[in-house]
Amino acid sequence: MIYRIRHTTHFIYDKPAYESHNEVRVAPRTSPNQRCLSFDLEVTPKAAVLAYDDSFKNRVHAISVHPPHDELTIVATSVVERLAPRPSTPLRVPFGEFLAEDAARSAEHFEFLHPSKFVPFSERLRKFFWSARPAPTETVVEYTMRIVRYVRDQFEYEKDKTHVHSGVDDILSAGGGVCQDFAHLTIGLLRLAGVPARYVSGYLAPRAGVASDYADQASHAWIEVLLPGTGWTGFDPTLRSRTTDHHIRIAIGRDYSDVPPLRGVYRSAGSNGEMQVELSIQREGEPEPEVLRAQMQNQSQQ
Amino acid sequence: MLRRIADSLFWAARYLERAEWRARLVSVNHNLLIEGPAPVGNPWSSMLAISGDQELFEEHYETVDETSVLTFFVLDERNPSSIRSCIDAARANARSLRHRISSELWLELNTLHLDAKQWSAARLGTSEVFDFFQQLQERFYRIAGVINGTLPRGLGFDFLGLGILLERAENVTRLLDIKYHYLLPKVEDVGGPIDLLQWAAVLRSASALEAYRLKYGNLIRTESVVEMLLFDPDFPRSARYCVDRLETALRRVAQAAPEPAAAPTKLASDGLAGLLASRNASEVIAGGLHDFLIDVQEECERISSAVFDQYLRFE
Amino acid sequence: MNAQAVSNPVPISDAYRIASGLFDEMFDLERRPRPGCARVVADLLVREPDRLAELRTRADGMFLRMGVTFNVYGMEEGSEKIFPFDPIPRVIDAATWANLEAGLTQRVRALNAFIQDVYGAGEILKDGVVPRDLVLGCPQYLRAAVGLTPPHGTFVTVAGIDLVRGADGRFYVLEDNVRTPSGVSYVIQNRVVMTRLLPDLVRASGVRSVENYPADLLESLCELAPGGKSRPKVALLTPGIYNSAFFEHVFLSHQMGIDLVEGHDLVCVDHKVFMKTVHGLQQVDVLYRRIDDDFLDPVVFRPDSLLGVAGITAAIRAGNVSVANGFGTGIADDKAIFAYTPAIVRYYLNEEPLLPIVETHILSDPDVRRMVLRDLDRYVVKPTNASGGYGVIIGPKATYRELIEAREAIEREPNHFIAQPVVQLSVHPTLLGDTNGAGPFAPRHVDLRPFVLLGKKTRVLPGGLTRVALREGSLIVNSSQGGGSKDTWVLER
């Protein structure tokens, strides 16, 4: 399946911004089931753009705009070919056996087995894990599927209970959250059980004729789990399922803090900037769908 | 030279010079009150009006009298233009420059700042206030001597100079305005004994009385005083002297640029030089001294903005 | 003072106590001066010991006038102090120094190779010589440094290696400092003062000069210029006047003739770094930065940092500016990684380490932890993510309560601590503040921080900073905690 994606980030400042420096992660990754056929980044006003790969091999664009400007628009256009995930048959390894090799795995996949900024192994998380922990006879893949569903069964999809800098404790105390929170919490429960898990940011292409329930956010987030025998396998805790050919991967990391779509600072005499995000995903051969819009306030950082 | 460094030098100098002129203005007012007969109206109100700080004063004080106005002008840290506040500001600007100025200069500024912290209202009582201002003036002379004696003549010295000269040109006009506009509203007193006494006090507070007598003799005439404080090219506290030096400093700064080009600052200093060259003392008095003084102040402000835009603006 | 040829070394008087079990830098057990020390002993300690106090007073005056001060953290503005100076110099003979110099060069080259590797191919991790999890879990491991290779692969331009001398007379590495090591200005100023105080003795002793350091540092910095630019613009980036080492930043920038800049003096335009000068923007090619990684770029690190320069990381990536030391060097002076440094030397250089390290125990290993906790009062416990001597527990000197707290902290977060046996630092005759009738000087503990400059040439500043614990029995030599310093003399012959 081929998608044409147009992701627009638009800033409007109350007073001119200047010395604006941002890093964006908006270029789809190329991976076994996904190929990025073309990518283009357009910035208005004219900006210096530097592309590089970060430590997780995500493509990053550093954008620098020096002169004063009232608005800043970043348009990322990509064409992505997404193959349906190959059916996989993970080895059915029970935890009792799995954990025997924990030390080796811990050295090899340290960053995806240990606490990270938004997934600290807090007291609250440990308690939650205790109630859901795997039995020695449960297989790793069974546990993973159970947890992916369990998290979503326990928590409502609620937009305003958490924010973009929320960690696992926030969703646990708020009782609800968004895809980012479900991903963090699921990752926490997997890592505590000794299963390497990582965060994926990307887009969820709407199904033809079906309005998505989660259309209020331009970006989507899910996870990948290192299952015995099959390697990194995608799961979407928000949808309680495996990932599909509608999941378009952009970046991977330990948690959200490694992969924010946009991070940066600017100077301004004003105090407020408004950010609007527009996303349009068009399947090849189908008419252009309605554009998803999200709005955010963001604070001048300097 | 970094903008931050130039900016701190410029403002350290301005605040220092401002502190000195505040002392001069307050002490001339004080001297006139003691030496002359009581002027019409409240002389301290005139002082407040001319300083432009009337509103701020009224926020914090009930009555306008000698004690309250002296306290406000000398000690009050809520007044950003009080002598103490100016010294603090000068020292704060110099602190980040410790490695760029001489240790002697830092020592003088820091000691003055520490002393200013200790000043109390008792020092401003009638019996002590004369000594207080006298000693303060000596401190300022010493600092000027240290600046001249220890700092190399480079860009840093020029930015320091720009701050001093702009502040000085502005303040000498304020001093004249105090006398001319506020202290003597009655036309029939012009040229009378009170008038002469007051002009002598103005000259003294600009440290110009002796220089005046050397040049013009014993007779104090309004025209000659104005000539001396505005148009004299040799007296170091005249407006003309300041603008001559400003032009030199601005030229040196502009020439230090990697690609020297006509600087907007030159246009601004040409404006002040032109204004001063276009008139003489008698014309200015005939045409209204107060208005001319305001014109000079505005030209100074124009130069200051040009310097800021060209060399100091940070963002 | 007249320096005479010393043919017959005089033993020191009985008033000076030679402690058993400690290495005295100046005297052997027969109370005779060690190699190279005879002249200093004869001229300074034997002939006119009463002159020492006067020398110190004169030295203090010189330091004050030169403005050689440091700021103490946690105190009000204006709390600048002079670093107490001891006028009895520490002498290192030529042969001893030659060994040290070779060991230091070897060590810093290996640490640099390690940094280059962990942010690059990661061979040492694949080979399991240093545990992968130890590196990736280390707070000093900077993901943003991955792929940021500086010109010539020089991550560590300046290193300060803390050495102690054991009872056996050997030097041991106690700690590496490869982020923003400070103290070199004291080395140079101490020499200026000593040369004025004792010109004849300095000359007659044949002391190797330290005055070339700023020129050498500048040369090493210029080598880092992007694209090998021939006359690069170099500036020193300081956190500002409230930093404890601000004097050193002023001193070094003056000595090198480069601008001393703060973060807001700089701006990034189109992935290049510029200084804001009165005559417009001027491009900077190399920054000798004395600001920690975390504060350098609010885009990538702490967004609240006002000390750094927004966008500088991208400018480095674009190859338009270099910073020294490079990003992420802290991984090599982490206290837990320290235990692996001998293996690191062997791995990259295929040589045996010439400088041994102080025995270091990693407490995340349960067996090691059990062993250490059993005799906690015999160890020095150090947190792995702090510097400056804060939070260090010295077992034999700790109170019962402190030991209990340390034990709890270790059990809670074993990864955050290492333990080392208490090293008996060597002692050196040091002028006393209050003589108490014991004679004017007595042995006090000292360490040594030599400075190494890495570049096309590797240079070791002859000597380094000798810090001395002025309180009797104290082992803490940090300037912030009651230490002083001595001039360090490396002899030409």
Side-chain angles (χ1 to χ4, degrees):
Chain A
M1 200 161 323
I2 291 177
Y3 297 101
R4 293 182 186 282
I5 304 160
R6 190 180 154 89
H7 180 175
T8 305
T9 312
H10 186 62
F11 290 95
I12 304 165
Y13 306 102
D14 59 349
K15 299 231 174 92
Y18 56 99
E19 293 179 25
S20 166
H21 298 278
N22 287 291
E23 289 200 348
V24 297
R25 283 171 174 83
V26 288
R29 279 178 78 102
T30 285
S31 49
N33 293 325
Q34 174 177 306
R35 266 202 308 158
C36 184
L37 302 176
S38 78
F39 177 77
D40 182 54
L41 192 77
E42 196 186 316
V43 184
T44 323
K46 195 175 167 300
V49 179
L50 174 83
Y52 71 94
D53 289 344
D54 70 12
S55 65
F56 297 103
K57 301 273 181 267
N58 302 309
R59 176 85 344 173
V60 186
H61 292 87
I63 299 171
S64 155
V65 186
H66 184 66
H69 48 283
D70 297 314
E71 301 184 11
L72 174 66
T73 311
I74 302 167
V75 183
T77 317
S78 43
V79 179
V80 179
E81 182 181 19
R82 183 74 164 95
L83 306 173
R86 282 162 297 180
S88 64
T89 42
L91 298 179
R92 307 188 61 79
V93 183
F95 265 91
E97 201 179 300
F98 180 72
L99 291 177
E101 288 156 35
D102 189 52
R105 212 165 22 241
S106 178
E108 183 64 26
H109 299 288
F110 179 88
E111 55 270 64
F112 302 122
L113 271 172
H114 280 77
S116 55
K117 186 173 178 196
F118 290 143
V119 189
F121 291 174
S122 61
E123 203 58 33
R124 217 185 259 271
L125 180 67
R126 285 175 195 277
K127 280 187 186 145
F128 190 64
F129 168 66
W130 185 249
S131 65
R133 71 191 186 283
T137 51
E138 188 174 20
T139 67
V140 174
V141 66
E142 281 166 355
Y143 174 71
T144 303
M145 270 321 293
R146 179 163 68 82
I147 289 302
V148 164
R149 295 195 188 103
Y150 177 70
V151 164
R152 198 57 185 80
D153 290 342
Q154 301 293 313
F155 297 94
E156 285 300 314
Y157 187 92
E158 284 180 88
K159 238 184 84 180
D160 298 322
K161 290 220 158 176
T162 55
H163 50 84
V164 70
H165 298 299
S166 291
V168 281
D169 278 0
D170 296 294
I171 179 174
L172 285 171
S173 58
V178 296
C179 52
Q180 176 181 334
D181 305 300
F182 301 140
H184 283 155
L185 187 52
T186 313
I187 287 171
L189 297 177
L190 289 164
R191 287 184 188 167
L192 278 170
V195 184
R198 67 192 185 192
Y199 186 97
V200 186
S201 76
Y203 307 120
L204 181 61
R207 280 164 205 283
V210 182
S212 167
D213 292 338
Y214 312 109
D216 52 337
Q217 291 219 323
S219 298
H220 191 52
W222 59 93
I223 67 168
E224 283 173 355
V225 186
L226 188 67
L227 295 177
T230 54
W232 291 102
T233 309
F235 292 87
D236 187 332
T238 311
L239 300 176
R240 302 171 81 253
S241 68
R242 286 282 311 271
T243 50
T244 64
D245 54 359
H246 290 258
H247 288 81
I248 301 157
R249 300 165 87 233
I250 294 183
I252 58 168
R254 290 165 292 186
D255 59 29
Y256 175 79
S257 67
D258 284 332
V259 295
L262 181 139
R263 173 165 61 196
V265 296
Y266 61 90
R267 291 181 189 271
S268 173
S271 56
N272 269 297
E274 190 182 292
M275 184 170 91
Q276 299 172 342
V277 179
E278 290 181 5
L279 180 67
S280 111
I281 302 177
Q282 183 189 7
R283 272 165 76 166
E284 207 170 62
E286 287 181 10
E288 196 166 344
E290 212 179 312
V291 172
L292 303 178
R293 286 198 174 78
Q295 273 198 15
M296 273 159 256
Q297 294 285 313
N298 95 318
Q299 297 274 314
S300 159
Q301 305 230 30
Q302 288 192 7
Chain B
M1 163 166 287
L2 292 171
R3 289 191 167 227
R4 172 174 53 87
I5 306 277
D7 186 70
S8 296
L9 285 166
F10 180 78
W11 284 105
R14 277 203 91 138
Y15 278 118
L16 198 63
E17 186 74 14
R18 189 172 297 174
E20 179 178 338
W21 280 94
R22 284 281 140 158
R24 287 180 188 278
L25 292 180
V26 176
S27 69
V28 70
N29 214 36
H30 196 262
N31 289 352
L32 284 171
L33 286 175
I34 291 173
E35 292 176 14
V40 183
N42 186 338
W44 293 107
S45 298
S46 316
M47 178 80 203
L48 275 175
I50 207 168
S51 69
D53 294 327
Q54 192 142 15
E55 270 181 45
L56 183 68
F57 179 88
E58 282 164 2
E59 265 179 45
H60 297 295
Y61 296 87
E62 306 251 303
T63 53
V64 182
D65 56 27
E66 182 169 321
T67 313
S68 61
V69 176
L70 277 180
T71 306
F72 178 70
F73 275 121
V74 179
L75 303 176
D76 199 332
E77 281 165 39
R78 296 169 304 189
N79 172 9
S81 312
S82 74
I83 297 175
R84 184 185 268 166
S85 297
C86 287
I87 289 172
D88 275 4
R91 186 258 185 194
N93 273 289
R95 187 173 195 271
S96 62
L97 300 173
R98 270 187 74 176
H99 59 290
R100 300 296 299 244
I101 59 178
S102 60
S103 53
E104 290 90 343
L105 178 53
W106 167 250
L107 193 70
E108 282 297 331
L109 281 174
N110 201 35
T111 316
L112 179 59
H113 156 80
L114 293 174
D115 289 353
K117 271 183 154 172
Q118 304 297 321
W119 291 345
S120 67
R123 298 285 302 277
L124 304 179
T126 315
S127 57
E128 293 205 34
V129 72
F130 181 80
D131 278 350
F132 174 80
F133 283 119
Q134 177 82 24
Q135 283 165 17
L136 189 55
Q137 189 55 60
E138 283 164 13
R139 297 289 286 271
F140 289 129
Y141 283 141
R142 196 155 74 210
I143 290 173
V146 170
I147 289 173
N148 280 311
T150 63
L151 296 188
R153 266 52 173 174
L155 271 184
F157 191 82
D158 285 329
F159 278 103
L160 212 63
L162 289 176
I164 292 172
L165 293 164
L166 276 171
E167 192 70 28
R168 184 177 293 174
E170 236 183 280
N171 275 289
V172 75
T173 60
R174 290 227 170 98
L175 180 71
L176 279 171
D177 224 11
I178 280 203
K179 161 68 188 95
Y180 198 78
H181 192 67
Y182 289 96
L183 290 179
L184 200 76
K186 283 184 288 180
V187 180
E188 60 269 28
D189 286 341
V190 172
I194 305 170
D195 194 29
L196 294 181
L197 198 65
Q198 289 181 345
W199 279 119
V202 165
L203 284 171
R204 200 180 303 126
S205 80
S207 307
L209 187 57
E210 289 160 26
Y212 180 93
R213 288 202 167 116
L214 273 177
K215 191 156 181 176
Y216 299 99
N218 252 343
L219 183 61
I220 294 183
R221 293 172 54 239
T222 307
E223 201 182 305
S224 306
V225 176
V226 171
E227 181 72 35
M228 174 127 200
L229 293 185
L230 288 184
F231 300 104
D232 193 318
D234 300 320
F235 179 65
R237 261 171 302 282
S238 82
R240 169 69 197 281
Y241 179 94
C242 290
V243 75
D244 286 352
R245 295 306 183 278
L246 269 172
E247 286 184 309
T248 314
L250 286 172
R251 195 164 49 240
R252 273 198 304 256
V253 171
Q255 278 166 355
E259 291 153 13
T265 46
K266 174 156 191 330
L267 225 60
S269 67
D270 284 351
L272 179 56
L275 179 68
L276 288 172
S278 68
R279 315 276 176 83
N280 62 32
S282 54
E283 286 165 6
V284 160
I285 292 168
L289 180 60
H290 176 71
D291 291 342
F292 185 77
L293 295 174
I294 297 296
D295 288 348
V296 173
Q297 286 172 19
E298 278 170 3
E299 289 296 339
C300 288
E301 195 42 54
R302 213 158 286 152
I303 301 175
S304 192
S305 307
V307 167
F308 177 74
D309 286 340
Q310 175 90 6
Y311 300 117
L312 308 178
R313 182 189 288 281
F314 213 67
E315 309 298 356
Chain C
M1 189 174 299
N2 179 18
Q4 298 179 340
V6 188
S7 52
N8 214 356
V10 204
I12 193 68
S13 79
D14 288 348
Y16 183 82
R17 188 171 49 87
I18 303 282
S20 61
L22 296 176
F23 184 83
D24 190 300
E25 296 275 344
M26 223 156 222
F27 301 103
D28 61 19
L29 291 171
E30 277 77 52
R31 322 186 68 79
R32 289 178 179 282
R34 292 192 183 275
C37 297
R39 194 186 304 269
V40 169
V41 170
D43 277 12
L44 218 48
L45 303 188
V46 175
R47 194 178 306 149
E48 292 177 283
D50 298 337
R51 255 194 85 198
L52 287 168
E54 181 212 320
L55 290 176
R56 180 171 57 195
T57 310
R58 281 174 53 202
D60 288 353
M62 287 185 217
F63 283 117
L64 260 184
R65 277 195 300 282
M66 294 191 292
V68 185
T69 55
F70 67 95
N71 295 326
V72 181
Y73 282 118
M75 286 176 78
E76 283 293 299
E77 172 194 345
S79 63
E80 293 147 36
K81 302 206 159 174
I82 64 164
F83 191 16
F85 177 72
D86 183 78
I88 307 175
R90 184 222 204 127
V91 180
I92 300 177
D93 66 90
T96 305
W97 179 252
N99 286 332
L100 266 184
E101 192 172 10
L104 290 163
T105 305
Q106 179 197 50
R107 186 171 182 83
V108 177
R109 283 177 52 217
L111 293 178
N112 190 72
F114 173 67
I115 298 164
Q116 202 177 348
D117 188 19
V118 294
Y119 293 119
E123 301 292 345
I124 198 168
L125 309 181
K126 289 177 196 154
D127 289 340
V129 175
V130 176
R132 191 162 184 273
D133 49 354
L134 191 67
V135 170
L136 297 190
C138 174
Q140 303 303 333
Y141 176 75
L142 218 63
R143 290 206 159 262
V146 172
L148 271 185
T149 308
H152 319 298
T154 308
F155 279 86
V156 181
T157 298
V158 187
I161 308 295
D162 288 349
L163 304 176
V164 296
R165 210 168 189 182
D168 56 0
R170 289 191 76 182
F171 281 98
Y172 293 82
V173 180
L174 181 67
E175 210 170 272
D176 302 296
N177 299 276
V178 293
R179 282 173 260 180
T180 56
S182 64
V184 77
S185 55
Y186 297 119
V187 175
I188 301 169
Q189 296 282 19
N190 284 355
R191 180 62 52 78
V192 169
V193 165
M194 276 307 254
T195 310
R196 284 191 212 161
L197 288 179
L198 299 164
D200 296 338
L201 183 58
V202 173
R203 193 175 307 137
S205 300
V207 179
R208 285 183 60 184
S209 165
V210 295
E211 70 179 359
N212 246 0
Y213 180 85
D216 290 346
L217 173 58
L218 184 59
E219 196 181 317
S220 300
L221 292 169
C222 287
E223 283 172 15
L224 294 174
K229 200 169 176 180
S230 61
R231 294 187 58 193
K233 180 80 189 167
V234 184
L236 193 158
L237 176 60
T238 174
I241 54 172
Y242 296 106
N243 184 269
S244 65
F246 183 68
F247 160 74
E248 178 156 306
H249 308 160
V250 171
F251 177 82
L252 287 176
S253 60
H254 273 196
Q255 294 284 313
M256 290 190 278
I258 62 175
D259 279 288
L260 178 64
V261 299
E262 296 178 13
H264 55 276
D265 289 324
L266 301 175
V267 61
C268 288
V269 184
D270 297 346
H271 307 309
K272 296 182 184 116
V273 177
F274 295 87
M275 297 193 307
K276 299 172 185 169
T277 80
V278 293
H279 293 120
L281 296 181
Q282 187 178 8
Q283 193 175 349
V284 179
D285 303 301
V286 182
L287 271 177
Y288 178 38
R289 50 99 174 208
R290 298 290 296 257
I291 291 183
D292 291 342
D293 288 339
D294 275 4
F295 293 91
L296 255 177
D297 189 348
V299 179
V300 179
F301 306 108
R302 298 173 53 146
D304 57 335
S305 169
L306 300 173
L307 301 175
V309 190
I312 192 172
T313 319
I316 298 171
R317 272 185 212 288
N320 292 327
V321 70
S322 300
V323 295
N325 289 352
F327 272 7
T329 51
I331 189 65
D333 67 16
D334 178 77
K335 290 188 172 69
I337 299 289
F338 181 76
Y340 294 89
T341 51
I344 286 172
V345 172
R346 287 185 204 103
Y347 184 82
Y348 292 107
L349 304 180
N350 241 328
E351 297 169 4
E352 269 310 297
L354 301 170
L355 270 174
I357 66 166
V358 170
E359 191 185 336
T360 300
H361 303 292
I362 303 239
L363 296 177
S364 47
D365 181 325
D367 294 334
V368 174
R369 182 160 74 241
R370 219 167 298 128
M371 175 193 85
V372 168
L373 286 177
R374 199 163 47 228
D375 294 311
L376 194 55
D377 58 350
R378 288 178 23 202
Y379 289 94
V380 177
V381 176
K382 296 176 176 176
T384 51
N385 50 9
S387 63
Y390 296 98
V392 173
I393 299 285
I394 298 176
K397 311 250 160 170
T399 62
Y400 183 67
R401 193 192 163 82
E402 284 166 342
L403 286 175
I404 300 257
E405 282 168 3
R407 177 183 300 273
E408 283 171 359
I410 291 167
E411 277 170 349
R412 207 163 42 236
E413 294 178 303
N415 294 330
H416 291 190
F417 297 94
I418 54 147
Q420 295 172 328
V422 178
V423 189
Q424 286 304 328
L425 272 59
S426 58
V427 292
H428 195 287
T430 300
L431 180 61
L432 300 178
D434 175 11
T435 60
N436 272 337
F441 53 87
R444 290 288 180 268
H445 291 291
V446 292
D447 76 349
L448 179 66
R449 175 181 287 184
F451 291 88
V452 183
L453 293 175
L454 206 57
K456 285 179 185 155
K457 278 187 255 173
T458 305
R459 304 180 178 95
V460 186
L461 176 68
L465 181 63
T466 292
R467 296 182 297 182
V468 52
L470 296 171
R471 280 194 299 268
E472 185 171 9
S474 169
L475 293 171
I476 304 267
V477 294
N478 296 57
S479 54
S480 48
Q481 299 193 21
S485 81
K486 287 171 170 289
D487 194 10
T488 311
W489 291 5
V490 172
L491 302 186
E492 276 161 6
R493 280 182 303 279

